[in-house]
Amino acid sequence: MKTKDKNAVLELLASHPKAPKARYKGLVEKLKELDGATPSQKRFYNAAMYSPVNLEGLEYDLKKLCGITDREVKKLVSANKQEVKDLDVIVELPEEIVERLKQVNLEELNYNSELKPLAKNISEALGVEPTSQKKVDLIAFIDGFIPKEPTQEELATAFTEALSAAPEDVKQGLKIRELYPFLNDDDCPDEFHTLTGKMVSAYINWKEGREELKALVEAGVSNEEIYAIANKVVADFKLNLDCHDELTHYQEHKQILGKHPIFAEKMLEEAVNALGTVELTKRQKNLRSYISRDQKAFDKMDDGEAKDKFGEKLQTWKDELNLVDARLEKIS
């Protein structure tokens, strides 16, 4: 990864907060410029609609691709705060007004006691004024700030575009061993056999989910129900593309790409094996320190998603330490 590209991505990640959709769009455009991004990443994020989950995944993929740590982002964010006076600050509505707007029925509001005060609150928060104080203009003014979910038609279109970005062999069905003959070789890494199983399952789930999504849209069910299925469909779609990238890369280069989680252990082992004695000893000391520190923090955390995520990180340190210990013992 070129230093210039890394710095550009880092600046975007640490830039002054924008509306989430605008941030997502800007990061997607940057991803498309990066040579290291896989074709499936570019296709998926370019075709997929914004969602908090997609934004989080995009930021994670960009950081991983460019070798950017959370610490680097936080450091630059802190530096940017020193220059905040020079920035064009994007003002957002206070959360209490946003929540009020989500529940309001404008036509039922009392003009004097509810409609005018609400319009005034928005004006004071954002520094903008309605066209006039007429009821029809106040309603139009307030309505422009009410958060709106995409329509069923918009949802259907967005997910159809995302899914249609799949390679032809994914859309038409998979004859995996014909597509990737190396799977029949005796020296084929075992992980690829597991990966192909996941690929088939993801394809089947994607196909079934797509039909279910289509039926839901036609039935006119709520957006919440559509989201529940659509998110799973997109996840299976992306998993299929990730598997496809791994298989294609190995077939062309006889080297593991290593972006899929199934190769995490193998890639970690290779990284440890590449270290010399001095580096291994230093890494061993650091890992023991990290584990001691994080274990104490982990034990104090309440059960929940945050603790589970933190526990995964802690286990990664432990797995690496086991490899480092074994490597040092072997070469001593």
Side-chain angles (χ1 to χ4, degrees), residues 291 295 313-323:
I291 292 170
Q295 185 67 59
K313 174 187 173 184
L314 178 58
Q315 187 58 50
T316 299
W317 293 138
K318 292 179 179 179
D319 292 342
E320 185 177 356
L321 180 59
N322 288 336
L323 290 172

Side-chain angles (χ1 to χ4, degrees), residues 223-330:
N223 283 353
E224 287 78 8
E225 292 178 87
I226 292 177
Y227 272 126
I229 299 299
N231 284 336
K232 180 66 170 62
V233 171
V234 170
D236 287 320
F237 166 74
K238 188 173 185 298
L239 173 60
N240 212 320
L241 290 180
D242 289 344
C243 295
H244 178 83
D245 280 344
E246 291 286 352
L247 291 162
T248 300
H249 184 85
Y250 189 84
Q251 178 156 288
E252 293 177 354
H253 305 285
K254 293 302 178 184
Q255 292 181 338
I256 295 173
L257 180 63
K259 292 184 179 295
H260 192 283
I262 199 171
F263 294 105
E265 184 176 345
K266 180 180 284 291
M267 301 305 288
L268 179 59
E269 185 175 354
E270 289 182 0
V272 169
N273 289 340
L275 298 177
T277 304
V278 174
E279 293 171 310
L280 284 167
T281 303
K282 182 179 179 180
R283 187 61 179 164
Q284 183 186 58
K285 180 180 179 181
N286 288 339
L287 286 169
R288 286 174 176 172
S289 175
Y290 299 156
I291 292 170
S292 176
R293 177 198 64 198
D294 288 357
Q295 185 67 59
K296 293 175 183 177
F298 178 79
D299 292 340
K300 294 178 181 179
M301 295 177 71
D302 295 329
D303 291 339
E305 184 177 348
K307 184 174 183 178
D308 292 341
K309 190 173 183 179
F310 192 84
E312 292 176 3
K313 174 187 173 184
L314 178 58
Q315 187 58 50
T316 299
W317 293 138
K318 292 179 179 179
D319 292 342
E320 185 177 356
L321 180 59
N322 288 336
L323 290 172
V324 169
D325 289 343
R327 179 65 177 162
L328 280 171
E329 183 177 348
K330 183 177 181 180

Side-chain angles (χ1 to χ4, degrees), residues 47-117:
M49 63 188 297
Y50 160 78
S51 73
V53 172
N54 284 346
L55 177 57
E56 182 180 358
L58 175 58
E59 291 177 343
Y60 173 82
D61 284 345
L62 280 169
K63 284 188 282 188
K64 185 176 180 181
L65 181 64
C66 298
I68 295 172
T69 65
D70 290 337
R71 184 176 181 180
E72 287 178 298
V73 176
K74 291 177 181 177
K75 183 178 180 180
L76 187 55
V77 168
S78 297
N80 287 344
K81 286 181 179 179
Q82 301 300 319
E83 304 171 7
V84 70
K85 293 182 180 179
D86 298 325
L87 296 173
D88 293 326
V89 179
I90 297 175
V91 182
E92 296 183 354
L93 284 172
E95 188 63 30
E96 59 269 21
I97 296 181
V98 174
E99 290 302 316
R100 169 79 168 124
L101 290 173
K102 289 179 181 178
Q103 303 170 18
V104 74
N105 184 330
L106 295 177
E107 297 295 339
E108 295 180 357
L109 294 184
N110 180 276
Y111 175 75
N112 288 310
S113 63
E114 297 176 302
L115 194 64
K116 286 182 67 177

Side-chain angles (χ1 to χ4, degrees), residues 37-247:
T38 66
S40 70
Q41 286 176 318
K42 295 179 181 181
R43 287 194 300 268
F44 173 75
Y45 287 117
N46 186 51
M49 63 188 297
Y50 160 78
S51 73
V53 172
N54 284 346
L55 177 57
E56 182 180 358
L58 175 58
E59 291 177 343
Y60 173 82
D61 284 345
L62 280 169
K63 284 188 282 188
K64 185 176 180 181
L65 181 64
C66 298
I68 295 172
T69 65
D70 290 337
R71 184 176 181 180
E72 287 178 298
V73 176
K74 291 177 181 177
K75 183 178 180 180
L76 187 55
V77 168
S78 297
N80 287 344
K81 286 181 179 179
Q82 301 300 319
E83 304 171 7
V84 70
K85 293 182 180 179
D86 298 325
L87 296 173
D88 293 326
V89 179
I90 297 175
V91 182
E92 296 183 354
L93 284 172
E95 188 63 30
E96 59 269 21
I97 296 181
V98 174
E99 290 302 316
R100 169 79 168 124
L101 290 173
K102 289 179 181 178
Q103 303 170 18
V104 74
N105 184 330
L106 295 177
E107 297 295 339
E108 295 180 357
L109 294 184
N110 180 276
Y111 175 75
N112 288 310
S113 63
E114 297 176 302
L115 194 64
K116 286 182 67 177
L118 181 55
K120 182 180 179 181
N121 289 339
I122 294 174
S123 296
E124 292 176 346
L126 301 180
V128 293
E129 297 289 340
T131 305
S132 76
Q133 292 297 307
K134 294 180 180 179
K135 182 176 181 178
V136 63
D137 289 331
L138 291 183
I139 289 177
F141 173 71
I142 297 171
D143 186 62
F145 298 100
I146 294 178
K148 296 179 177 64
E149 292 185 348
T151 65
Q152 292 172 342
E153 183 178 349
E154 289 171 335
L155 279 171
T157 299
F159 282 106
T160 297
E161 289 176 353
L163 297 175
S164 66
E168 284 303 312
D169 54 283
V170 174
K171 290 189 286 187
Q172 296 175 3
L174 300 171
K175 297 181 179 179
I176 296 179
R177 291 186 181 274
E178 293 180 13
L179 289 168
Y180 307 106
F182 73 84
L183 291 169
N184 298 308
D185 296 343
D186 292 337
D187 61 350
C188 174
D190 291 338
E191 288 86 354
F192 280 110
H193 295 296
T194 304
L195 191 71
T196 53
K198 290 181 177 293
M199 193 173 184
V200 171
S201 296
Y203 171 73
I204 293 172
N205 292 337
W206 167 74
K207 191 173 181 180
E208 292 177 349
R210 189 178 182 183
E211 292 301 317
E212 186 175 358
L213 176 61
K214 182 179 178 181
L216 287 174
V217 172
E218 291 176 350
V221 300
S222 69
N223 283 353
E224 287 78 8
E225 292 178 87
I226 292 177
Y227 272 126
I229 299 299
N231 284 336
K232 180 66 170 62
V233 171
V234 170
D236 287 320
F237 166 74
K238 188 173 185 298
L239 173 60
N240 212 320
L241 290 180
D242 289 344
C243 295
H244 178 83
D245 280 344
E246 291 286 352
L247 291 162

